[in-house]
């Protein structure tokens, strides 16, 4: 499924936050005017449960340039103060074809997102 990119968002469930920035250069025409690059293609993987992989695969002819994950259902423990999950994988596929995530949790569901520039 393709998703229109309008903004990136982040949420923290603990005191550790990891952020990834992707820089996209602007192309400059011979007349000296700058043109904005096309918005990247954003794809999402399936919603999966504990121990399962969510794989957001880039369209044919593109390579992943960034990605992340989303918890669709986040169960908290200890009277709602502690998240009940641990990421076991969150990164690009080894062949660069998309983004892969998995987690260890009892009740949570999550999905991967991949950012793929136009070919």
């Amino acid at each position: 499924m393709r998703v229109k990119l309008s903004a990136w968002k982040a949420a923290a469930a603990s005191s550790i936050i990891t952020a990834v920035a992707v820089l996209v250069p602007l192309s400059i025409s011979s007349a000296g005017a700058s043109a904005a690059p096309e918005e990247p293609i954003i794809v999402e993987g399936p919603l999966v449960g504990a121990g399962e992989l969510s794989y957001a695969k880039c369209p044919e002819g593109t390579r992943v340039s960034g990605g992340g994950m989303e918890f669709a259902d986040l169960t908290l423990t200890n009277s709602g103060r502690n998240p009940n999950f641990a990421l076991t994988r969150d990164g690009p596929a080894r062949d660069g074809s998309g983004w892969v995530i998995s987690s260890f949790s009892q009740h949570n569901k999550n999905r991967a997102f991949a950012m793929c520039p136009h070919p």
Side-chain angles (χ1 to χ4, degrees), residues 3-99:
V3 179
K4 178 158 175 48
L5 176 65
S6 58
W8 283 95
K9 63 181 180 180
S14 70
S15 60
I16 299 173
I17 300 173
T18 302
V20 177
V22 178
L23 303 177
V24 180
L26 295 175
S27 59
I28 299 176
S29 71
S30 60
S34 62
E38 291 186 64
E39 289 186 3
I41 300 165
I42 305 296
V43 292
E44 64 181 68
L47 187 63
V48 298
E52 298 176 315
L53 291 176
S54 180
Y55 173 46
K57 184 175 181 359
C58 288
E60 193 68 36
T62 64
R63 310 274 295 162
V64 70
S65 63
M69 56 85 60
E70 166 192 44
F71 275 101
D73 297 313
L74 181 60
T75 302
L76 300 177
T77 60
N78 194 17
S79 300
R81 292 190 298 262
N82 298 325
N84 183 19
F85 75 94
L87 285 175
T88 55
R89 184 167 182 190
D90 182 14
R94 288 185 176 90
D95 64 358
S97 62
W99 201 266

